[in-house]
Amino acid sequence: MERSFKTEVEALRLGDGAVFRGEGILAVTKALLQSGVSYVGGYQGAPVSHLLDVLVDAEDMMAELGVHLETCTNEASAAAMLGASINYPLRGAVTWKSIVGTNVAADALSNLASPGVIGGAMIILGEDYGEGASIIQERSYAYAMKSSMWLLDPRPDLPTIVRCVEQGFELSEASHAPVMLELRIRACHVTGEFTASDNRPGRYSALNRLSGPPRFDYARLSHPPVTFIHERLKVEDRMPAAQAFIRERKLNELIPGDLDDIGIVVMGGLSNSVLRALERLGLADIFGASRVPMLVLNVVYPLVPEELRGFCAGKRAVLVVEEGHPEYIEHALNVELRRADLQTRVLGKGPLPKAGEYTAEVLLNGLAAFLAEVRPAGLDPETIVAHVRGIVGHRPKVAAALGELPARPPAFCTGCPERPVFSAIKLVQREIGPTHISADIGCHSFGTLPPFSLGNSILGYGMSLASAAAVGPNMDRRSIAVMGDGGFWHNGLITGVASNLFNQGDGILIVMQNGYTAATGQQYMPSSAGRSGAAPRMDVETTLRSMGVKWLRKVRTYSVATMMATLKEAMRSAEHGLKVIIADGECQLARQRRVRAAEAEKLKRGERVVRTRYGVDEEICTGDHSCIRLSGCPSLTVKPSTDPLRTDPVATVIESCVGCGLCGEVAHAAVLCPSFYRAEIVRNPTWWDRTLFATRQRVIGWLGGQLPSSTSPLVGEVGAHRREGGGRDSTALTSTPLPNPPPQGGRERAEQAANAGAIS
């Protein structure tokens, strides 16, 4: 992409003894190269997208190390890459967003975990759990238990993260099992430093290739009857080997404390938050020392019975800090203690909530409740409880004073090419009535939020068309499925299109073709233009036609009227079968990065640059704000009217406008009002621009009875102004406003404001 990771790439070259500074996910990337990996793959998704993005930009360095990098089309293909480690001593790592990505990869993971691995195999998971998450509220823990893969949850501290990556490969090889490393958002983006080591090539790689496959061994296949042997090996051989490795290498950490009749068992990823909460209670310091003993589980599965028993022996009670439901660790700890006839009381879900993210306030209240219940020697619980009430007690008062704050859900970016499609759907439904909308994962899922509120189901990435399969035959009008081009290549082509064609379905599919996997950072996908600007080797339209789609239309997304007409044609057509509309419009964020860089270069060379802006004529705006309800653009908002006879606010276009033209398109398509205008601001104007500008100014001045002076100065920017919407077109040119201009009408003020805003 146009975004550069040059700084991050250079940091990956640091050698032995150098100090690496940066984010947690970059530390993981560096640790992979230090571990001698032969291959890396994955599918983008928060909060681990940065790992792949940086490695893609580090192609030269990867070639120097002989590391093969695969940007996979989905998580299943990434997981299947780890099959290279089943028969060969190849270290490899793959990454994706969990839990949804792990769901997609589950088939491959089961077939990987059954025969086990020879080379170290690591799955780096973006554990996107909590109120700030964008996915289903589930955890990866169940997958680790189900398939007997070991799950690391490192403390959000760069040296610990790097150590877990490097020793995670050794753990995988020592136990012949895949290892999962989960990273919460706080771990991915925590900043810090660690002492780097030299990058090293893998034992075998593109620089030192394998001579051939090993002798055939049926036991390396995940296929009956050996799968029954694999199950026994998982329990009797691999797990004990993993537990011995964890214990001997001290992967889990013990933080001692003087309040030794109690303790805390905490998942590594939550340990910093717990220490911070204890510090606020006066029970820890800012350097990580704690008065309450803590067992930090950097490996949360498998648990090591000897460590659990040793930590809990002699303690009256321990608190298990385990985010999410169900409480796997709490159950396992109770079982191990009862087996050892230890009567230490185990608390967890009770003082702490059963579900939801363990935020700072949750942990403060939970720790206070725990201490009040167990009453450790040498501590006054009432003082702790009162202190917590003092910390969080102001919240109800603040809430009462401020009132209920409005929700601020995510929304389409300014100028997003997908917003016009939902405007068109909304306008069409006014005419033909509501129908079922199958939404999908991606930027377009924001269409389910106001002002559109379009979407009756979301069943998974690329699954919108498949999720409508049983709706269409039971509804009196065709359903509409919305899918991005990223979802199309990820899953939608086979799960949706192929299934629909095979079953002779009759519905409408809208493919949002914005050119990138946009929601995760504008990564490339099969139909994206190549890095060199070459044409893509795969194409959505060609692929659909080759699959047998007969009814197919390609529409520019910003053409709202055309999109409406196409949708109505698809809804009313007597032809049975799948109808596909490719909504074509480049991701505006990616476009702005590209266009602004190109324009900056042109300006340096003194070349002509034209910037388009839109505005609203305050005198014509009726103030009903239908344009906002049908557009939803962040740049289209309201402001107080300057007319003393009007009390209602009027619509306005603010500085963030990127000139996509949707506001005018919607106004025209909905026959709303003629108040929108378009202004073209020309920088480094040519002699023709200046001559035309001067001529138009004279004509406008003559028509208005205010003929400008022939000596009026022309500056380096001029603007062309054209009426949009349902009104009559008019043309005018304005120069940059001069100091202390004379009083002007609303339209002239709007034109001047558009120019002034764009120029500034």
Side-chain angles (χ1 to χ4, degrees), residues 49 63 85 162 195 237 270 303 310 312 372 427 488 510 544 548 566-567 585:
S49 295
S85 298
V162 171
T195 303
D237 292 358
L270 299 173
L303 299 172
C312 293
L427 289 168
F488 176 85
I510 300 175
L544 286 168
T566 307
L567 276 167

Side-chain angles (χ1 to χ4, degrees), residues 608 682 684-696 714 718 733:
R608 181 178 185 268
V682 180
N684 295 330
T686 63
W687 67 270
W688 174 250
D689 291 320
R690 293 174 180 274
T691 302
L692 188 61
F693 174 78
T695 303
R696 287 174 173 171
L714 285 174
V718 296
L733 287 174

Side-chain angles (χ1 to χ4, degrees), residues 397-474:
K397 298 176 183 177
V398 172
L402 295 178
E404 186 176 353
L405 296 177
R408 296 191 64 186
F412 291 109
C413 300
T414 301
C416 176
E418 299 181 356
R419 184 184 288 107
V421 179
F422 291 100
S423 296
I425 295 174
K426 198 167 184 177
L427 289 168
V428 167
Q429 287 197 342
R430 286 183 176 183
E431 183 175 336
I432 66 173
T435 189
H436 178 84
I437 307 289
S438 294
D440 211 315
I441 300 297
C443 294
H444 39 83
S445 62
F446 296 148
T448 60
L449 300 170
F452 305 112
S453 301
L454 296 172
N456 302 99
S457 64
I458 296 180
L459 268 295
Y461 196 24
M463 295 187 187
S464 59
L465 183 57
S467 71
V471 175
N474 293 287

Side-chain angles (χ1 to χ4, degrees), residues 115-394:
V117 297
I118 294 174
M122 179 172 289
I123 304 121
I124 300 165
L125 304 173
E127 190 75 352
D128 194 8
Y129 178 89
E131 293 179 2
S134 59
I135 47 85
I136 306 300
Q137 295 297 283
E138 294 179 0
R139 301 158 61 200
S140 303
Y141 206 108
Y143 278 97
M145 297 175 66
K146 171 187 73 69
S147 298
S148 293
M149 296 181 291
W150 319 139
L151 180 60
L152 279 64
D153 185 12
R155 186 155 60 95
D157 164 80
L158 265 59
T160 304
I161 290 172
V162 171
R163 179 169 173 256
C164 284
V165 171
E166 294 177 335
Q167 299 215 2
F169 282 108
E170 296 183 32
L171 170 62
S172 175
E173 291 164 349
S175 59
H176 302 295
V179 167
M180 306 167 81
L181 180 94
E182 67 175 15
L183 297 168
R184 294 171 177 79
I185 291 176
R186 61 175 70 93
C188 283
H189 298 305
V190 67
T191 57
E193 63 182 42
F194 68 93
T195 303
S197 300
D198 290 333
N199 296 333
R200 58 190 180 95
R203 178 179 173 187
Y204 295 99
S205 67
L207 304 178
N208 180 31
R209 297 177 184 272
L210 292 159
S211 59
R215 183 179 177 181
F216 176 75
D217 183 2
Y218 191 83
R220 307 307 297 163
L221 300 177
S222 53
H223 199 268
V226 293
T227 49
F228 306 110
I229 300 174
H230 293 163
E231 183 182 22
R232 181 183 58 77
L233 288 172
K234 287 179 180 180
V235 177
E236 297 180 3
D237 292 358
R238 297 178 194 167
M239 183 173 288
Q243 290 169 331
F245 184 94
I246 295 164
R247 185 176 61 253
E248 292 165 7
R249 297 296 181 93
K250 294 182 170 55
L251 293 184
N252 295 323
E253 301 174 68
L254 179 62
I255 300 175
D258 63 281
L259 299 173
D260 54 6
D261 62 332
I262 61 170
I264 298 174
V265 178
V266 57
M267 302 178 78
L270 299 173
S271 57
N272 283 7
S273 300
V274 172
L275 284 167
R276 170 59 176 153
L278 289 172
E279 189 266 334
R280 297 180 74 184
L281 298 178
L283 300 176
D285 62 27
I286 60 173
F287 302 105
S290 170
R291 292 193 61 194
V292 181
M294 291 176 59
L295 177 60
V296 179
L297 299 175
N298 292 317
V299 184
V300 292
Y301 186 80
L303 299 172
V304 181
E306 296 87 345
E307 289 184 348
L308 297 177
R309 293 195 295 264
F311 178 75
C312 293
K315 290 182 170 53
R316 292 191 298 107
V318 295
L319 175 69
V320 178
V321 183
E322 177 185 9
E323 198 173 51
H325 180 81
E327 53 270 47
Y328 298 117
I329 298 174
E330 187 176 342
H331 290 167
L333 180 57
N334 268 300
V335 169
E336 289 299 333
L337 295 182
R338 301 298 89 81
R339 282 175 177 169
D341 198 25
L342 292 174
Q343 301 309 310
T344 304
R345 187 180 177 193
V346 178
L347 294 90
K349 306 299 184 185
L352 291 164
K354 290 185 177 181
E357 184 177 7
Y358 284 180
T359 61
E361 184 175 345
V362 167
L363 288 171
L364 282 171
N365 287 322
L367 288 169
F370 168 70
L371 295 172
E373 185 163 348
V374 301
R375 307 186 73 83
L379 194 67
D380 180 13
E382 282 73 19
T383 303
I384 297 292
V385 172
H387 184 54
V388 171
R389 287 174 181 166
I391 294 174
V392 302
H394 68 285

